[in-house]
Amino acid sequence: MVRIILRGCNGRMGQEITKLAKSDEETEIIAGVDVSNRFENAYPVYDTFSKLKEKGDVIIDFSSPNGLQEMLDYSISTGTPIILCSTGLSEENIQAVKQTAEKVAVLRSANMSLGVNTMIKLIKEAARVLSNGGFDIEIVEKHHNQKVDAPSGTALLLADSMNEELGGDYDYVYDRTDVREKRGVNEIGIAAVRGGSIVGDHEVIFAGLDEVVEVKHIAYSRAIFAKGALSAAKFIKGQNPGLYSMQDVIGTNER
């Protein structure tokens, strides 16, 4: 049994994880941390980690970067691993996470979906093969009209994974409206669409001479992210200090 402390438990993703954990015999949410008290939960909820009485095996964080340092400090002081799902982290936040990972296990991912992380493996291979054939790379991401950040953390994750595979030589272009010139060779274009209730739609386009390869993932509900977070929680329990990703979880599932 994995005993979970859920930060951001009263947000949309927090409630998805709460519902899914109820039917998962291997996980139990023992406490939540959230400044909001808009939902009644079957577990106690605190507004800060300093008030937390329960001892968990793992922290799952689907909250905003606000209050991140308090969680990291708690993790270090108690030796509790973290599944970090928050996006929009500053460079200072990222450095703090890396420092925490030197003392406890931290799994950080901008997207917890097993499907998206399998997609990453596919596009890395495609980028390596097709870049030598003169293929241009473009990413189009679509989300609901309430999402405030653009491009999405997942779009950047996709771009970073391909760029890393290609030696880090590519620049990201987010808006071409003010650029009166032809597309550069070492570019990854990223476009964002916001509308309706789209949960998440990511497409990577490899456009070559007379042929196009497209790799696409569509999320139909937030349950897929909750499922991935619980899989990550089961993986991270008992791991040595270090910075992990969902690719490590997928590698475990493949064995």
Side-chain angles (χ1 to χ4, degrees), residues 69-240:
Q69 190 59 55
E70 183 201 24
M71 180 184 68
L72 298 180
D73 292 341
Y74 174 87
S75 170
I76 293 172
S77 65
T78 59
T80 310
I82 301 173
I83 305 298
L84 183 59
C85 313
S86 298
T87 58
L89 299 183
S90 67
E91 188 58 39
E92 183 179 354
N93 293 150
I94 293 172
Q95 290 304 314
V97 170
K98 290 179 178 178
Q99 291 171 5
T100 301
E102 295 174 0
K103 301 176 182 177
V104 295
V106 178
L107 189 150
R108 177 180 173 232
S109 179
N111 192 302
M112 301 305 296
S113 159
L114 295 175
V116 164
N117 284 278
T118 301
M119 178 185 183
I120 288 173
K121 295 186 68 174
L122 297 174
I123 63 173
K124 288 175 71 172
E125 174 70 10
R128 184 179 62 80
V129 173
L130 298 178
S131 64
N132 293 326
F135 282 71
D136 297 319
I137 305 173
E138 294 282 324
I139 298 173
V140 179
E141 58 98 341
K142 305 172 186 177
H143 284 86
H144 53 87
N145 58 20
Q146 301 301 301
K147 187 172 179 63
V148 296
D149 58 317
S152 67
T154 300
L156 293 174
L157 177 63
L158 297 173
D160 289 344
S161 66
M162 291 185 290
N163 198 10
E164 180 182 354
E165 186 71 19
L166 298 172
D169 296 330
Y170 281 65
D171 297 319
Y172 303 163
V173 177
Y174 306 103
D175 185 3
R176 300 187 186 278
T177 56
D178 295 329
V179 180
R180 302 291 296 174
E181 59 186 33
K182 292 191 291 185
R183 188 188 195 283
V185 175
N186 285 12
E187 290 184 3
I188 297 178
I190 305 177
V193 176
R194 297 291 176 265
S197 59
I198 302 172
V199 175
D201 186 325
H202 293 86
E203 183 176 13
V204 178
I205 303 166
F206 299 93
L209 184 62
D210 298 329
E211 59 180 333
V212 175
V213 177
E214 298 178 350
V215 183
K216 186 172 185 177
H217 178 273
I218 302 174
Y220 291 104
S221 82
R222 293 181 178 84
I224 63 171
F225 309 124
K227 181 179 179 181
L230 293 182
S231 295
K234 297 170 191 177
F235 164 83
I236 206 71
K237 179 183 177 181
Q239 294 287 352
N240 293 324

Side-chain angles (χ1 to χ4, degrees), residues 13 16-21 24 27 60 62 83 112-115 221-234 246 249 253:
M13 277 309 310
E16 287 286 349
I17 294 173
T18 297
K19 288 189 292 185
L20 192 60
D24 189 328
T27 61
I60 294 180
F62 261 108
I83 305 298
M112 301 305 296
S113 159
L114 295 175
S221 82
R222 293 181 178 84
I224 63 171
F225 309 124
K227 181 179 179 181
L230 293 182
S231 295
K234 297 170 191 177
M246 284 299 289
V249 180
N253 292 343

Side-chain angles (χ1 to χ4, degrees), residues 7 32-36 44-52 70:
R7 179 174 181 252
V33 178
D34 203 312
V35 295
S36 168
V45 178
Y46 307 92
D47 57 358
T48 67
F49 276 89
S50 62
K51 298 178 181 178
L52 194 62
E70 183 201 24

